[in-house]
Amino acid sequence: MARTVEGNMPVSYLYTPGLGNTAFFEALRDRAVLLGSRCAACSYTYLPARVFCERCFAELTPDTKCGPGGVLESWTVARAGIDGEHLAEPRSVGLVKVDGADTVLMHLLLGPVQWEIGTRVVVVLKDGRSGSILDIEGFEPA
């Protein structure tokens, strides 16, 4: 059984997305596109975009459109929120390998679906996007 320690720890931070994630968020907001980076040396595509290859350290350009479909690689059901609170409705969270990418993207799975690994899914974007990962509502069956 997992142990927990009750208490509060106030933390403030400023997230700086860097060049690769900035390109990803701007493409998501402005063009409704999932933008990745493809390494010419490794033939490996990262999503979200990166500015260097984590495998061979080659310089990358965030210019590879991925999706909007993909394959569900893994998933789980959350019955508690990030602060341990009980969720009235369980939420499914999945790892999706978006078409054209070699990495996975973790996000909500939408709808009352009996999820299975290998299920084809498609990204659902919000209207009025702001340039955040939350511009993606989640993934639904294709």
Side-chain angles (χ1 to χ4, degrees), residues 11 13 17 23 32 64 73-74 82 84 89-90 98 115 126-127 129 131:
V11 177
Y13 64 92
T64 304
E73 296 288 317
S74 185
I82 60 173
E89 293 291 324
V98 176
W115 295 103
K126 291 182 179 177
D127 293 328
R129 295 176 298 276

Side-chain angles (χ1 to χ4, degrees), residues 11 47 50 54 73 83 92 112 122 140:
V11 177
L47 180 72
R50 312 278 203 289
E54 297 170 8
E73 296 288 317
D83 293 320
S92 295
V122 64
E140 66 183 9

Side-chain angles (χ1 to χ4, degrees), residues 5 11 20 40 51 57 66 68 73 76 79 94-95 112 114 117 121 124 137:
V5 176
V11 177
V51 294
F57 302 108
C66 299
E73 296 288 317
T76 190
R79 290 181 170 75
L95 295 176
Q114 189 66 29
I117 292 172
V121 295
V124 177
E137 284 188 34

Side-chain angles (χ1 to χ4, degrees), residues 38-44 56 58:
R38 181 154 181 82
C39 180
C42 295
S43 299
Y44 198 83
C56 74

Side-chain angles (χ1 to χ4, degrees), residues 67-97:
V71 175
L72 184 61
E73 296 288 317
S74 185
W75 62 278
T76 190
V77 176
R79 290 181 170 75
I82 60 173
D83 293 320
E85 73 279 10
H86 176 75
L87 298 174
E89 293 291 324
R91 295 182 187 158
S92 295
V93 178
L95 295 176
V96 175
K97 185 182 275 188

